[in-house]
Amino acid sequence: MSWTETLRTGLSAVRAHGLRSTLTVLGILIGIAAVILTVGLGLGTQKDVSAQISALGSNLLIVTPGSSTDTSGMRGGFGSSATLTRADAAALTSEVTAPDVAAVAAEKTSSLSVETSSTNWTTSVVGTSAAWTDVRGRELASGAFFTADDDAAGAAVVVLGSQTATELFGTTDAVGQVVTIEDLTFTVVGVLTEEGADAASDLDDLAVIPLSTMADQVVGGTDRNSVSTIYLQAESTDQLSAANQEAETLLLNLHSISSVDDADFSINSQDSLVSTATAVYRTLTVLLTGIAGLSLLVGGIGVMNIMLVSVTERTREIGLRKALGAPPWAIRRQFLVEATVLGLAGGVLGAGLGIVAARVLPDLLDTSIVVSGVAVAGSIAIAMAIGLVFGVYPATRAARLAPIDALRSE
Amino acid sequence: MAEALSFDTGTDTDTGTDTRSAPRPAGRHGADPVIDLHGAGKTYRTGTLEYEALRGIDLQIHEGEYVAIMGPSGSGKSTLMNIIGCLDTLTAGEYHLSGDDVSELDEVELAQIRNRRIGFVFQQFNLLASLPAWRNVELPLMYGRVPMHERKQRAIEALERVGLGDRLANRPGELSGGQQQRVAVARALVGEPSLILADEPTGNLDSTSTTDVLGLFDELHAQGRTLVLITHELEVAQRARRIVWVRDGRIHTDEVNGR
């Protein structure tokens, strides 16, 4: 009996019990679709996070206030304290103490209401320096970014994100218009280009003003000198670690801290942010995939169950085949092929369902799902293997039936 | 043993009385018998219980014979049929099938012997309901590794031989009992076995179909086939040329059927 014939016999046996086979296949199908979706969701989230981090700019070091992350995990208060100041940012621009730092942009961010004569819009108002466009890799769609002179003078000028401009004026063509932030009147000098759909939404919804204006006139008070983040740009990727070292030494000196372990700030590169986020999502993905995998195990037990029923039901057929000269291995192969066909059908249909769901779900859930070829091929192979493994016991039982007993059974 | 003696006469007289049988190759008695049982014994053991189903059977059946094995239930005739059909092995004695010792073959070798040497016809027909007639008939060839195109050809020829040339594609459910048993006979014939072994072949048939199938056996006998029929119906056994009575695991009588 050749393989093609064994396969044909197996297929016709599966077809002969349509409902039963369908239910068995359904068990595997759901498991496989769940695995493909969880893996896809994990990969999609990783991709989103990486995209958001790389959208910050290139060759960046990000200095944030608060305690640094240590080996035992994250310490509370990350980024919440106000330990970074405008003076720190100014010091980092020094060619002498930080030669590998090419550009510095401190950000002082606050969520504020931006008003026009007819409407208002709450957005994140970012006070920063003129180097911001270079550091963050942003460009202007119209007008010009404010200059270092504007920053020094505390000029009341603002550059709007494309979404903010649209919300306030109904168009991105807003240069020359006037807005009010915290009772201060600002002139719109430029509008930023859109960052695109891939990036985090707030990249297009912001109002950028000079840092000095933000500190002295908008925020004021005791909090005026603190900044929320300092972005440092290295000349090139090669100089990132040197820049990191310099910035750390400089800031430790400025803050009069002797040990790195006690630092009241942390410096992260984009790479380290990406790898931290990726590690977190990978762990989650593995966990969820494991749970989805359990349903595959249940599906496999379903296959075994159905195959045992099939062996019992077809005892006479097995007896007859043996009487006609089928050796035990031919009987075993027949039932193994049947179980594998069930597993494979579940795998292929489950992969199909997973792929379709991966197309439909992102629109409904607002997340990305990345279906990888490896995951699809892998889960089909796993489904097949499950059919095979859970078919071994029933097939062996069938092969061991004595032909006389099998023939005599009713 | 008395049985052994009555036996030799049985085989010899077969030729003498059987005027309808087809001419056999000369020197048949010099050739190995198709079935040759010597002191065949079978003991079943269940725990400490022992049951002797066969207690020393000597039996020779030669090529071209038409033999009925009869006996009441519990006589051991089913066990004898299993042994002859290589479905079970002896616990004592020897069994030669067409000259080959099959007493000590393993499961795989027995499967091969069944496939090549024996054509089975069962009381329950035992056709696979999902397969058309010709696919049922080709099953033994499939396990005998005969190439696919040749199989279909031979299956069709076998079905034509039993008069079902126009029912090739019908499934068993679409055939009458008699026709189903004819399909089963075609399946037994298709591998050109040295022996056709029928276990109560008419047990599930009405009288018309019984006549029909027995007529077919007569034809096969006329063509020189070796037929062994296990039955408890005297009417059926009467069609054979030799009747072997089994009782209590021994051969009780073995005589030529005068008809």
Side-chain angles (χ1 to χ4, degrees):
Chain A
M1 201 163 174
S2 70
W3 279 106
T4 48
E5 283 179 307
T6 314
L7 191 63
R8 200 188 59 204
T9 312
L11 282 173
S12 71
V14 167
R15 268 204 311 266
H17 303 283
L19 180 63
R20 206 163 75 182
S21 304
T22 308
L23 291 175
T24 313
V25 163
L26 205 60
I28 300 275
L29 185 155
I30 291 169
I32 290 295
V35 167
I36 288 180
L37 281 180
T38 45
V39 171
L41 205 62
L43 290 175
T45 315
Q46 277 178 32
K47 203 189 81 180
D48 284 355
V49 170
S50 311
Q52 281 172 22
I53 293 170
S54 59
L56 293 173
S58 56
N59 296 331
L60 278 192
L61 292 171
I62 301 131
V63 187
T64 44
S67 56
S68 64
T69 51
D70 61 8
T71 47
S72 66
M74 268 186 279
R75 225 185 281 167
F78 179 80
S80 60
S81 57
T83 51
L84 290 178
T85 63
R86 288 159 70 191
D88 292 337
L92 285 165
T93 54
S94 159
E95 283 287 334
V96 182
T97 46
D100 291 296
V101 176
V104 178
E107 282 187 6
K108 188 175 179 61
T109 307
S110 192
S111 188
L112 296 168
S113 178
V114 181
E115 292 158 21
T116 66
S117 51
S118 56
T119 184
N120 69 80
W121 179 250
T122 301
T123 185
S124 59
V125 176
V126 179
T128 187
S129 60
W132 188 82
T133 43
D134 291 337
V135 174
R136 297 293 303 270
R138 299 298 297 267
E139 279 170 14
L140 276 87
S142 59
F145 203 71
F146 54 79
T147 61
D149 290 344
D150 289 335
D151 190 15
V157 289
V158 65
V159 173
L160 297 177
S162 57
Q163 194 192 338
T164 317
T166 312
E167 292 293 344
L168 289 170
F169 301 105
T171 168
T172 53
D173 188 18
V175 176
Q177 300 276 9
V178 170
V179 297
T180 309
I181 303 170
E182 296 283 283
D183 296 333
L184 231 83
T185 306
F186 287 79
T187 309
V188 179
V189 293
V191 176
L192 295 164
T193 51
E194 259 181 78
E195 269 297 296
D198 224 25
S201 55
D202 63 355
L203 286 179
D204 287 326
D205 184 13
L206 77 176
V208 189
I209 61 175
L211 182 57
S212 57
T213 316
M214 179 75 176
D216 299 333
Q217 300 176 55
V218 177
V219 178
T222 51
D223 200 29
R224 65 172 61 192
N225 282 325
S226 73
V227 294
S228 32
T229 315
I230 302 174
Y231 291 92
L232 305 176
Q233 190 171 39
E235 293 281 5
S236 68
T237 315
D238 297 338
Q239 282 160 288
L240 261 180
S241 64
N244 193 333
Q245 197 63 50
E246 291 159 13
E248 189 175 75
T249 313
L250 182 62
L251 289 174
L252 286 173
N253 276 336
L254 285 172
H255 295 188
S256 309
I257 293 165
S258 52
S259 162
V260 179
D261 296 335
D262 299 332
D264 56 1
F265 58 90
S266 67
I267 305 176
N268 287 293
S269 66
Q270 281 164 301
D271 283 350
S272 73
L273 287 180
V274 169
S275 63
T276 307
T278 307
V280 169
Y281 284 107
R282 187 177 299 139
T283 311
L284 260 177
T285 306
V286 167
L287 191 73
L288 290 173
T289 310
I291 294 169
L294 277 182
S295 66
L296 272 181
L297 191 70
V298 175
I301 292 168
V303 169
M304 174 135 83
N305 189 16
I306 271 335
M307 291 311 295
L308 284 174
V309 169
S310 181
V311 168
T312 311
E313 219 177 56
R314 286 153 66 195
T315 302
R316 281 183 76 86
E317 179 191 328
I318 296 163
L320 172 76
R321 286 181 184 272
K322 288 194 150 193
L324 296 182
W329 59 260
I331 300 289
R332 183 182 300 119
R333 196 162 82 175
Q334 188 186 331
F335 281 89
L336 276 182
V337 163
E338 223 175 291
T340 311
V341 163
L342 286 176
L344 185 64
V348 170
L349 293 175
L353 180 69
I355 290 168
V356 169
R359 287 272 158 78
V360 176
L361 282 181
D363 295 340
L364 303 175
L365 298 178
D366 199 26
T367 52
S368 325
I369 299 177
V370 177
V371 177
S372 75
V374 177
V376 171
S379 21
I380 290 175
I382 287 171
M384 229 178 103
I386 281 176
L388 192 66
V389 167
F390 284 95
V392 166
Y393 176 63
T396 306
R397 257 190 38 175
R400 281 203 190 134
L401 281 175
I404 355 162
D405 298 340
L407 272 174
R408 297 257 181 279
S409 88
E410 289 306 324
Chain B
M1 269 193 209
E3 288 90 331
L5 282 177
S6 66
F7 233 14
D8 285 338
T9 43
T11 29
D12 278 339
T13 41
D14 177 45
T15 355
T17 49
D18 186 10
T19 47
R20 278 180 53 185
S21 76
R24 296 206 184 84
R28 173 176 73 84
H29 286 287
D32 290 315
V34 176
I35 293 169
D36 191 1
L37 285 163
H38 270 293
K42 178 74 182 177
T43 309
Y44 291 106
R45 286 191 183 81
T46 354
T48 51
L49 280 178
E50 284 197 1
Y51 173 69
E52 252 188 303
L54 297 180
R55 311 164 189 243
I57 294 226
D58 292 291
L59 177 66
Q60 273 99 36
I61 295 175
H62 288 270
E63 198 181 320
E65 278 197 274
Y66 185 2
V67 183
I69 295 176
M70 292 200 70
S73 45
S75 60
K77 71 177 192 305
S78 288
T79 308
L80 185 58
M81 127 101 197
N82 291 338
I83 295 293
I84 291 176
C86 294
L87 291 167
D88 208 348
T89 48
L90 290 171
T91 49
E94 275 183 24
Y95 175 27
H96 290 259
L97 180 65
S98 302
D100 294 329
D101 187 358
V102 296
S103 338
E104 279 170 9
L105 296 184
D106 66 22
E107 210 184 333
V108 177
E109 291 164 324
L110 282 178
Q112 221 170 60
I113 291 281
R114 288 196 295 270
N115 184 251
R116 296 197 184 141
R117 299 276 169 80
I118 301 163
F120 288 95
V121 180
F122 302 97
Q123 179 176 2
Q124 310 283 352
F125 318 141
N126 282 335
L127 299 174
L128 299 184
S130 60
L131 302 181
W134 76 268
R135 283 230 182 262
N136 265 292
V137 173
E138 78 159 357
L139 276 178
L141 301 180
M142 197 160 83
Y143 291 116
R145 297 173 173 274
V146 175
M148 213 182 289
H149 58 277
E150 190 188 330
R151 274 187 318 213
K152 182 163 188 179
Q153 194 51 46
R154 280 171 67 177
I156 291 169
E157 278 167 21
L159 278 166
E160 279 166 353
R161 230 182 306 168
V162 299
L164 286 176
D166 55 343
R167 291 278 191 274
L168 300 176
N170 289 63
R171 282 166 213 279
E174 301 157 2
L175 300 171
S176 73
Q179 285 172 327
Q180 288 187 51
Q181 196 60 303
R182 276 174 174 265
V183 174
V185 172
R187 183 179 63 195
L189 287 175
V190 75
E192 300 293 334
S194 27
L195 170 70
I196 290 174
L197 189 56
D199 182 17
E200 302 279 7
T202 58
N204 271 15
L205 297 177
D206 58 26
S207 59
T208 322
S209 300
T210 298
T211 317
D212 186 41
V213 167
L214 289 178
L216 183 58
F217 283 159
D218 284 342
E219 280 172 43
L220 295 177
H221 175 54
Q223 288 161 14
R225 303 245 172 213
T226 314
L227 288 164
V228 175
L229 204 117
I230 283 79
T231 185
H232 64 273
E233 290 173 83
L234 189 59
E235 191 191 345
V236 172
Q238 292 292 350
R239 302 291 283 256
R241 303 297 172 270
R242 176 180 160 196
I243 301 176
V244 177
W245 278 89
V246 180
R247 188 165 291 170
D248 299 328
R250 291 192 177 87
I251 289 178
H252 182 62
T253 60
D254 183 351
E255 53 204 13
V256 171
N257 176 17
R259 303 247 288 183

